[in-house]
Amino acid sequence: MHSRNITRCVTTAALLALAAVSLSALSGCKSGNTNTVGKEIIVGEYGALTGPQASFGKSTNEGIQLATEQANAAGGIDGKTIKVVVEDDMSDAAKAEIAVKRLIDEEHVIAVLGEVASGSSLAGGQVCQQAHIPMVSPSSTNPSVTQIGNDIFRVCFIDPFQAAVVARFVHDYLHVTRVATFTNKSAPYSTGFTQNFITAFTGMGGQVIAQQSYGQQDTDYRGALSTIKATNPQAILVPGYYTDAGAVCKQARDLGIKVPIVGGDGWDSQLLFNIGGSAVNGCYFSDHVSMDNPSPVVQKFVQDYKARFGHTPDALAALAYDAANLTYAAMKRAKALTPDDIRAAIATTTDFPGVTGKITIDANRNASKPAVIIGVQNGQFKYVTTITDPSKPLSQQPAAPSGGQ
């Protein structure tokens, strides 16, 4: 009798202890595949911290760092501190897929921020969608990125809009009607941009008189540029990244090509000047925000960023800052810190006050915002104009918004 009572007491105590352990675990982890244990919320970031697009990854990482530090200084989320685990994909889409798998399977992140290059976001986005972990890309502009599925979002505009903006600028501002294109055939960003530019520009009555391309590993562009020069274009579209654009501009000027060379947001890096030197003077590209904007929102970000990192931010840093803050704001609104609830909160984001403008996530999980045109002159990026609706002539564009554009 006595022995049986002791056994029952021991068994009961063991069950109570097991239940306590289980409840403790559940209280710290609202979803089986997410990490909110203890006082930290674990968020994943993947990007090109090394490799040919390392400038993009560095700016993005710094923007996310600043947003995270400020969010934690303001109390975090539900009393928990945000911790960002960073994976370097080395500017390689295959490595991006591996990096995101590690963030989800080993770090059990609750959300993912990344990437800049559309090819890497397409690889990482597939992994997030399969695991149903929400991902917010700061700056991948290829439309197919968010077409992966309902877990994938972005805070930047998309290439059909950006390419039409550049077409409108070339047609109306530069008064150009004959353009050549020079495309990185290895990059979805570049090929998509060119296709959308041609559609928009020819729709305005312009002519695309030459189309040349290059590969990711190419470094000598003189043959293709000589072919382009022979067609006598009034401008050349080069929708590549800053590494390509700088080298193309330098070799084009060496060949005596003097017409404006234009591109997209992939040009936005101070390294453009290191690579292209004075050859990039007189060129233009579309972008998400100008740091010249006197808006208090933009200037506070610039001052905070300089104080933290000691140099001026670029648009990619601003987009990353917006992507992180938008994600953290969604976590605060979510019913619970689970992927389903965070995804639902991100999807309902309306007029979020970002540095790059007010952000509303549309039904396709994209952000609709105006674009700016940046001119390159004497080692500096200078604001030229804002284009809100590229289907209308520049003379009919609404005034530039006073917010973060």
Side-chain angles (χ1 to χ4, degrees):
M1 179 68 177
H2 181 71
S3 175
R4 188 165 58 234
N5 284 343
I6 290 175
T7 302
R8 184 181 298 148
C9 288
V10 170
T11 302
T12 302
L15 288 172
L16 287 172
L18 178 61
V21 170
S22 299
L23 285 172
S24 175
L26 287 172
S27 67
C29 184
K30 297 176 181 178
S31 172
N33 196 37
T34 61
N35 194 341
T36 62
V37 176
K39 296 183 178 180
E40 289 186 333
I41 297 171
I42 311 298
V43 173
E45 173 195 345
Y46 71 109
L49 298 178
T50 57
Q53 281 95 51
S55 175
F56 291 162
K58 183 170 182 281
S59 292
T60 299
N61 178 256
E62 290 179 347
I64 292 172
Q65 276 190 60
L66 182 61
T68 305
E69 290 167 1
Q70 291 178 344
N72 285 333
I77 298 172
D78 292 344
K80 296 176 183 290
T81 299
I82 305 162
K83 177 183 176 182
V84 178
V85 179
V86 183
E87 284 285 317
D88 178 13
D89 62 29
M90 306 177 189
S91 310
D92 185 314
K95 290 184 173 62
E97 179 180 351
I98 295 169
V100 176
K101 282 182 178 175
R102 201 190 86 73
L103 288 170
I104 294 174
D105 295 341
E106 298 180 25
E107 300 292 344
H108 305 297
V109 298
I110 198 168
V112 172
L113 300 169
E115 227 257 21
V116 174
S118 294
S120 293
S121 281
L122 286 167
Q126 295 284 357
V127 179
C128 286
Q129 183 64 41
Q130 188 174 18
H132 297 297
I133 298 295
M135 178 185 113
V136 180
S137 168
S139 40
S140 287
T141 50
N142 188 292
S144 57
V145 170
T146 50
Q147 291 169 3
I148 291 172
N150 66 341
D151 287 290
I152 314 302
F153 302 85
R154 77 179 106 216
V155 298
C156 57
F157 47 63
I158 58 176
D159 284 336
F161 173 81
Q162 177 178 204
V165 163
V166 174
R168 176 57 68 189
F169 173 77
V170 167
H171 187 271
D172 287 15
Y173 190 94
L174 299 180
H175 304 293
V176 161
T177 57
R178 292 160 46 86
V179 170
T181 64
F182 193 30
T183 307
N184 181 348
K185 61 185 178 184
S186 307
Y189 164 76
S190 190
T191 56
F193 196 118
T194 295
Q195 292 168 2
N196 288 299
F197 174 88
I198 291 173
T199 299
F201 190 63
T202 55
M204 297 170 193
Q207 291 180 279
V208 177
I209 57 174
Q211 297 182 51
Q212 293 290 310
S213 62
Y214 58 93
Q216 185 70 37
Q217 305 303 321
D218 291 346
T219 56
D220 187 346
Y221 311 109
R222 290 177 176 81
L225 287 171
S226 295
T227 301
I228 288 174
K229 182 182 179 183
T231 64
N232 195 29
Q234 296 172 299
I236 303 172
L237 173 73
V238 182
Y241 297 127
Y242 59 90
T243 44
D244 314 343
V248 168
C249 288
K250 195 169 190 310
Q251 293 181 26
R253 300 315 184 209
D254 288 345
L255 290 171
I257 298 174
K258 299 179 180 179
V259 299
I261 300 176
V262 299
D265 59 337
W267 284 36
D268 188 359
S269 170
Q270 291 296 314
L271 293 180
L272 180 73
F273 300 112
N274 296 358
I275 300 168
S278 61
V280 297
N281 285 339
C283 296
Y284 302 90
F285 62 94
S286 55
D287 214 344
H288 305 268
V289 64
S290 169
M291 296 308 159
D292 294 340
N293 190 319
S295 157
V297 176
V298 176
Q299 291 311 309
K300 182 181 186 308
F301 168 71
V302 172
Q303 290 169 11
D304 290 348
Y305 192 97
K306 281 183 175 178
R308 175 64 177 83
F309 300 109
H311 57 93
T312 303
D314 55 23
L316 295 179
L319 284 168
Y321 182 81
D322 284 352
N325 278 327
L326 183 147
T327 302
Y328 301 156
M331 288 180 176
K332 291 179 179 177
R333 297 196 313 273
K335 293 179 181 177
L337 289 174
T338 65
D340 283 348
D341 287 335
I342 294 170
R343 179 194 314 111
I346 294 173
T348 58
T349 298
T350 303
D351 287 339
F352 177 82
V355 173
T356 60
K358 288 186 177 180
I359 301 171
T360 294
I361 300 297
D362 66 20
N364 297 314
R365 299 171 297 285
N366 299 320
S368 299
K369 298 185 298 186
V372 298
I373 296 293
I374 303 293
V376 186
Q377 197 65 47
N378 299 326
Q380 292 186 318
F381 295 144
K382 292 293 185 183
Y383 169 81
V384 177
T385 190
T386 297
I387 299 179
T388 301
D389 183 355
S391 69
K392 298 179 179 178
L394 281 189
S395 59
Q396 297 178 17
Q397 294 294 316
S402 58
Q405 273 295 332

